[in-house]
Amino acid sequence: MKQLSLNALSLALCALTLAGTAPVLQAAPNQAHPAASAAKAPQAVKRFVLHTNVVDGKMVYVDDKGVANPTLNVAVGDTVEIELFSGEGAEHDFIIDELGVASPKFSATQKQKLRFQVTQAGEFQYYCSIPGHRQVGMFGTLKVSGESLPAATASSNAAVALYAPAATPLRAADPAAVDIAADPNKLPAPMAAHAPRVQKVRLETVELPGKLDDDTSFTYWTFNRQVPGPMLRARIGDTIELTLANSKDSKAIHSIDLHAVTGGHGGGADTQVAPGQEKTITFKALHAGLFVYHCATPLVPQHIAAGMYGMILVEPEQGLPKVDREFYVMQGDMYTQRPIGAKGHQEVDLQKMSDELPSYYVFNGAVGALSKTHKMQAKVGETVRIYFGVGGPNKVSSFHVIGEVFDKVYSEAALNTIKHSVQTTLVAPGGATIVELKMDHPGSYLLVDHALSRTGKGAVGVLEVTGDSTPGVYHSGAL
């Protein structure tokens, strides 16, 4: 299997919406002499074998002669049999809208055989309907010679279900769902000063059922089984050898684009990893700051919304000022077929994602991740630093801590730009910030996105501060 080329990945990264698929060429059916057409229609079985692969940077179907996205030539009246399997291990399907043809999903371990009769003449596009696959090359032509049979108009009605699919039946929350929320307390310790050195990092992409809310599950796509993925830490000048492995149980290809990387589409050009495989990139940390990383496999926003994001901190040569506590927090927007509060297993809604209408806004992947699942705690007199990022894929955050003022804000996570006494700071999707605050009074401080309707959709966390109040800072009542 060839690696994705830079040009092909550029095409992939542009395929961020559900629109923009290639046009379908369809010849108008000829029904002038239906009886004669029926009499002339050949009766034959045409058999094809198609496997999937990545060829010249494109995701394609390949026939048994090695031809990518071959034109399948048949005649009206033929019965078509197609054997389908995944050559690179990811999950795919085979669709022809106008003929009402739709295979079940198939993979390397789940082959499918598709059988249908052709009654309509013309040229029809076959394609994979897995989000992003059609946009990066998975389509070809079924060419049907002859004249359409009388019943051809009826067969096209079967395609209606493909354009207006029935809602996915609600099913109970997955009993195997696990906590995927990253612990905000678990991040690498500050790095001692050192000469530039090589760090070796290994991440695994894992698809698994996770707890989105009480009695609600969701199929997350993750780095190392958590959302966000592990926080990485380096010093400017360090060289990082990063290996990305994709679990053999995955159904999708995954990758990683680190905003701290110069070249190779942030690593995304060379880390398109099929299930059960792994790839390695090596890069030098040239810029100090806090940078987001995320999956860069189409549909990119789907992979991100499912949980595939994290951050890497590149410290300056002199390091960062010492603080008492550090926390790791990221915000994401999620798109589900049912609104927040619905019990059961939530399915992704790609139309909502395209329209940028999130059902959930979450800190560290799930509702209650920073209030029920994990605790953020500090003491009066301590200085707290929060590394905060937005995975997105779409929405800006107005990050705010209710009851406190940020003493320092490293604006847009640039370490050479510090603002003081900031109430709320904007963080773009795919962006980050670093805030510091000294805790002067005990209490429960709420982390929120100050687009406050979002707190009702999950974007809220709690920082518990204990100890004695600093005199004169705050008290209830008059002087």
Side-chain angles (χ1 to χ4, degrees):
M1 183 175 73
K2 297 183 180 180
Q3 291 183 338
L4 288 177
S5 67
L6 292 181
N7 289 338
L9 191 72
S10 296
L11 172 63
L13 295 177
C14 289
L16 300 182
T17 67
L18 302 181
T21 56
V24 176
L25 301 178
Q26 177 182 349
N30 184 347
Q31 295 182 329
H33 303 286
S37 298
K40 295 179 182 178
Q43 301 294 320
V45 177
K46 296 290 182 68
R47 295 182 173 87
F48 303 94
V49 176
L50 296 177
H51 70 273
T52 64
N53 214 326
V54 178
V55 177
D56 294 332
K58 294 183 178 181
M59 197 175 291
V60 297
Y61 299 94
V62 182
D63 68 11
D64 52 2
K65 297 179 180 179
V67 178
N69 291 333
T71 297
L72 307 181
N73 292 292
V74 301
V76 169
D78 285 350
T79 295
V80 179
E81 287 187 358
I82 306 177
E83 185 176 341
L84 301 158
F85 66 96
S86 175
E88 84 294 327
E91 188 174 67
H92 303 284
D93 60 15
F94 182 96
I95 306 292
I96 306 175
D97 287 333
E98 293 76 19
L99 303 183
V101 172
S103 79
K105 290 181 173 59
F106 60 89
S107 65
T109 57
Q110 294 176 312
K111 297 182 180 181
Q112 297 289 346
K113 182 173 286 188
L114 187 62
R115 182 183 175 95
F116 60 94
Q117 187 175 31
V118 182
T119 58
Q120 188 173 349
E123 293 188 5
F124 309 96
Q125 187 181 94
Y126 64 81
Y127 67 94
C128 178
S129 72
I130 303 297
H133 291 191
R134 186 182 193 178
Q135 289 91 330
V136 291
M138 290 199 75
F139 60 89
T141 301
L142 175 73
K143 188 173 183 179
V144 185
S145 61
E147 297 180 350
S148 299
L149 299 179
T153 54
S155 68
S156 65
N157 293 331
V160 172
L162 295 174
Y163 290 106
T168 304
L170 180 64
R171 59 187 176 95
D174 194 321
V178 298
D179 287 324
I180 53 76
D183 187 340
N185 303 280
K186 290 186 177 180
L187 63 165
M191 306 188 76
H194 61 258
R197 66 189 185 192
V198 175
Q199 291 196 53
K200 294 188 177 183
V201 177
R202 183 181 179 85
L203 296 174
E204 183 183 27
T205 59
V206 182
E207 303 168 9
L208 76 169
K211 295 177 181 178
L212 174 56
D213 198 354
D214 293 336
D215 301 318
T216 306
S217 61
F218 181 82
T219 301
Y220 287 88
W221 295 352
T222 71
F223 292 101
N224 284 25
R225 300 177 178 269
Q226 66 178 62
V227 181
M231 180 171 158
L232 310 180
R233 199 162 193 160
R235 280 267 180 131
I236 192 167
D238 284 354
T239 296
I240 295 92
E241 181 184 287
L242 188 152
T243 298
L244 185 70
N246 191 353
S247 169
K248 62 182 179 62
D249 298 323
S250 294
K251 295 181 179 180
I253 295 171
H254 296 297
S255 59
I256 188 167
D257 167 3
L258 302 100
H259 291 183
V261 170
T262 300
H265 289 224
D270 300 298
T271 57
Q272 300 293 327
V273 185
Q277 298 183 15
E278 62 181 52
K279 293 182 179 179
T280 299
I281 58 171
T282 302
F283 64 93
K284 191 169 186 176
L286 299 177
H287 300 276
L290 180 63
F291 301 93
V292 170
Y293 66 78
H294 60 83
C295 184
T297 302
L299 281 170
V300 178
Q302 182 192 8
H303 287 244
I304 294 174
M308 299 197 75
Y309 51 86
M311 291 196 291
I312 176 172
L313 174 66
V314 180
E315 295 190 19
E317 290 181 1
Q318 70 276 17
L320 291 172
K322 183 179 179 181
V323 294
D324 298 296
R325 296 181 188 270
E326 295 184 323
F327 298 106
Y328 175 41
V329 179
M330 291 194 75
Q331 180 173 325
D333 34 284
M334 299 179 67
Y335 304 83
T336 57
Q337 293 183 0
R338 291 173 175 81
I340 187 169
K343 307 301 182 183
H345 187 80
Q346 286 277 29
E347 302 287 349
V348 66
D349 190 318
L350 298 180
Q351 189 60 53
K352 284 184 182 178
M353 184 183 73
S354 178
D355 294 338
E356 300 185 13
L357 297 173
S359 308
Y360 293 80
Y361 292 86
V362 291
F363 290 150
N364 287 25
V367 176
L370 304 184
S371 57
K372 295 184 295 184
T373 306
H374 299 293
K375 302 295 184 182
M376 300 175 65
Q377 298 175 325
K379 296 178 180 179
V380 171
E382 291 184 332
T383 299
V384 167
R385 178 181 293 143
I386 302 174
Y387 299 103
F388 182 85
V390 176
N394 295 319
K395 295 300 184 178
V396 172
S397 176
S398 301
F399 183 51
H400 176 78
V401 175
I402 297 177
E404 260 291 356
V405 175
F406 301 137
D407 298 306
K408 291 183 181 180
V409 172
Y410 295 81
S411 185
E412 297 180 346
L415 302 185
N416 58 352
T417 304
I418 301 177
K419 296 179 180 179
H420 299 273
S421 300
V422 176
Q423 59 185 322
T424 300
T425 187
L426 291 174
V427 186
T433 191
I434 303 171
V435 301
E436 294 177 8
L437 52 163
K438 184 177 180 181
M439 312 314 300
D440 295 311
H441 190 79
S444 297
Y445 294 86
L446 301 183
L447 283 66
V448 298
D449 180 336
H450 214 294
L452 287 174
S453 294
R454 298 177 182 181
T455 61
K457 294 185 176 183
V460 61
V462 180
L463 171 59
E464 294 285 357
V465 178
T466 58
D468 296 327
S469 175
T470 303
V473 170
Y474 177 85
H475 71 274
S476 177
L479 287 174

